[in-house]
Amino acid sequence: MLFRSAFASISLSSMVHAAGYGVVDLEQVVENSTYLKAQNATLQQSIKPQTTRLEQLGKELEGMKQKAQATKLSEAEMQKMSAEYQTKLNELNGIQQGLQSKVQASLQVMNKTLDARIKQVAEQLRKENSLDVVLNKNSALAYDAKYDLTDKMIQKVNAIK
């Protein structure tokens, strides 16, 4: 009986000692990531020629449709226009597929890089603050705001080059 009572008090005292924790708003870290902003700007710049060409092809295709509907074309003219339309449509589809692949690949690299940076900084913050765990703020049901490390996380993630 005495043994159980001593064991129970040891177990209770270890449970009462709360683990050190910190919380981080990951959405805010992502929104304020200078890395992501720079990468997105670079990506937008790199795909600008293709998106400009897509807009141009879209206008050309629409113009061809309107011309075909508005004017009476001979069979030969209709076949020629149809072939030209199909060529432009194939080009448009090819550019769209290429862009989609490029953007998806870029996003995967960006996400992987940012994820690694966030984990690196979370571990750094955990050690610097002698914490047992750093949690996603949005997953916590309740927490004391004094444990919020979001601003520190943003600063450190943005400092990584």
Side-chain angles (χ1 to χ4, degrees), residues 40-62:
N40 278 327
T42 300
L43 178 60
Q44 290 301 319
Q45 195 62 31
S46 75
I47 64 172
K48 190 170 184 146
Q50 293 93 341
T51 56
T52 301
R53 180 66 181 142
L54 283 176
E55 290 172 11
Q56 179 186 4
L57 284 168
K59 289 176 184 174
E60 289 174 14
L61 289 169
E62 187 59 36

Side-chain angles (χ1 to χ4, degrees), residues 35-36 100 118:
Y35 165 76
L36 280 184
Q100 186 176 4
I118 287 172

Side-chain angles (χ1 to χ4, degrees), residues 68-109:
Q69 291 170 350
T71 57
K72 187 151 175 97
L73 300 173
S74 69
E75 187 66 33
E77 290 172 322
M78 190 61 118
Q79 286 179 348
K80 182 181 176 189
M81 185 179 275
S82 180
E84 187 180 335
Y85 185 90
Q86 192 59 49
T87 300
K88 288 182 185 287
L89 185 60
N90 289 342
E91 181 183 355
L92 183 132
N93 288 332
I95 292 171
Q96 282 180 330
Q97 289 173 354
L99 273 177
Q100 186 176 4
S101 295
K102 182 175 185 171
V103 169
Q104 284 177 342
S106 294
L107 289 175
Q108 285 177 340
V109 169

Side-chain angles (χ1 to χ4, degrees), residues 25-34 36-37 114 118:
D25 186 339
L26 288 178
E27 283 182 39
Q28 195 174 352
V29 172
V30 170
E31 286 174 11
N32 290 291
S33 168
T34 55
L36 280 184
K37 289 175 184 172
L114 185 62
I118 287 172

